[in-house]
Amino acid sequence: MQDLGIRVLFDGENGVRLLLGLVVTLKLSIITIIASCLLGTLMGLLMTLRNPIIHIVTRVYLEFIRIMPQLVLLFVTYFGLTRAVGINLSGFTAAVIVFILWGTAEMGDLVRSAFISIPKDQYESGTALGFSKLQLYRFIILPQALRQIIPPAMNLATRMIMTTSLVVLIGVVEMLKTGQQIIEANRYTAPSAALWIYGTIFFLYFFSCWPLTILAQHLEKKWEK
Amino acid sequence: MDWAFMQRVIPMYAAAVILTLQLVIVGIVLATITGLAISVIRYKKIFLLSPLSAAYVQLFRNTPLLVQLFFLYFGLPKLGIHISSEACAIIGLTLLGGSYMAEAFRAGLNSISPSQIESAQALGFSPIQTLRYIVIPQALAVSIPPLCANVIFLIKETSVFSVVALADLIYVAKDLIGLYYKTDEALLLLVAAYLIILLPISLAAAVLERRIRYAGFGNSRTL
């Protein structure tokens, strides 16, 4: 029985299909991670400004996005927004929108806290030494801020990769959906396929995220001082 | 908006909230116990158990709960291990939460300098007393912010429980959308229900963290 199950993975194109599912997962992750980094940096810088209106708007946005489970945001966008605006979003597009909104909020908060954690005397000393505004940021502020941002940003990236698994619930055909299809197709010839397919998906996710986690831990330790 | 319809379905949401809270409370308690045990094993560097614990933490921190649940609920029965929906949800939450809680406790334990422990030994504290009176109180102050974050994270993660056939909030909302096409009403109640669960907890966590920050003030580590 068991060996029948594992054979499903190598039967025909099943293995390749599962990997193509992984490609969809990673594509979604990479698009949204890159967009979130860019927009999040912008948002983080906006949040450091001392404008009360910007402060309130960004704060409410951040708290709302943070407190809602990502799956709820996906549902609201996929089922609600399409009706409210009258446009037809594919599951993939809805997922891209939600993950960028979420990633931007989280990234914005990381950037903000990194910039405000740099002591004021760093700015003052730089100015006193005759650095121009551009030089000040280029040589003093950014190098310090980046060391604080990069490790948590990488952890955010792994969280985003893991969270993309939810998109199967709004009908995107990615790795989990492909796995389900393979299991269904082989229901009678290989009844134990579910064990092997889900086990494989488990490890495919693990090996997509683990290297990033390890690298983040390494960088964090290296830059701790 | 069809308010009469919303009033009629509120009991369904309330039942789902109660189910979610029941599972979450059991899951978080078990996860905290697991996390504490794992972090102590790693802190004490217990032979064989320590590397196993490290592997467990890495494995479950780097995989989504959804995939873990699929494996538990659909995969394991093929090995002859049948687990009920509720048990699946709680096991999944415990395994996932345990790995996150372990990291939170570890950050606390690692923040204590060896001189603290050496001083305790010099003063004649037994290892248990050292842990009880010196290590844990200080570690907890550092661990509380990540612990609170983990609690909120775990509650949010419960939104995938519908895949193991539990009538949670997402399940109810999806059901109503499918049956009556009341999309706006169903989604509004879904968002409201999660706000009702999460907002008080999130505010309580913020208050708690502020208190702890005062407790840690003057600690050389914060300089």
Side-chain angles (χ1 to χ4, degrees), chain B residues 44 59 68 74 82 90-91 100-101 109 115 139 158 210:
Chain B
K44 290 275 175 196
L59 204 55
Q68 295 167 13
F74 299 107
H82 294 271
I90 289 171
I91 293 172
Y100 277 83
M101 295 293 186
L109 289 174
S115 67
T158 61
R210 198 160 302 158

Side-chain angles (χ1 to χ4, degrees), chain A residues 66-72 79-80 83 162 165-166 169 176 180 191 194-195 198-199 202 205-206 210 213, chain B residues 58-59 61-64 66-68 70-71 74-75 78-79 156 159-160 163 183 187 191 194-195 198-199:
Chain A
R66 256 207 183 153
I67 211 168
M68 274 295 122
Q70 282 78 40
L71 188 55
V72 174
F79 294 114
R83 267 171 58 105
M162 288 195 282
S165 64
L166 299 180
L169 301 174
L176 266 174
Q180 286 176 338
L195 180 74
Y198 289 135
F202 184 88
Y205 264 109
F206 176 71
W210 191 49
T213 307
Chain B
Q58 291 292 356
L59 204 55
R61 273 183 75 97
N62 289 298
T63 46
L66 185 62
V67 177
Q68 295 167 13
F70 267 97
F71 185 78
F74 299 107
K78 308 297 175 197
L79 284 177
K156 285 167 64 182
S159 60
V160 301
V163 299
T183 310
L187 290 175
V191 171
Y194 270 110
L195 279 181
L198 285 162
L199 214 50

Side-chain angles (χ1 to χ4, degrees), chain B residues 19-28 86 89-90 93 161 166:
Chain B
L19 176 74
T20 304
L21 286 178
Q22 283 170 339
L23 294 171
V24 154
I25 290 168
V26 178
I28 286 176
E86 286 84 0
I90 289 171
L93 208 56
F161 281 173
L166 284 172

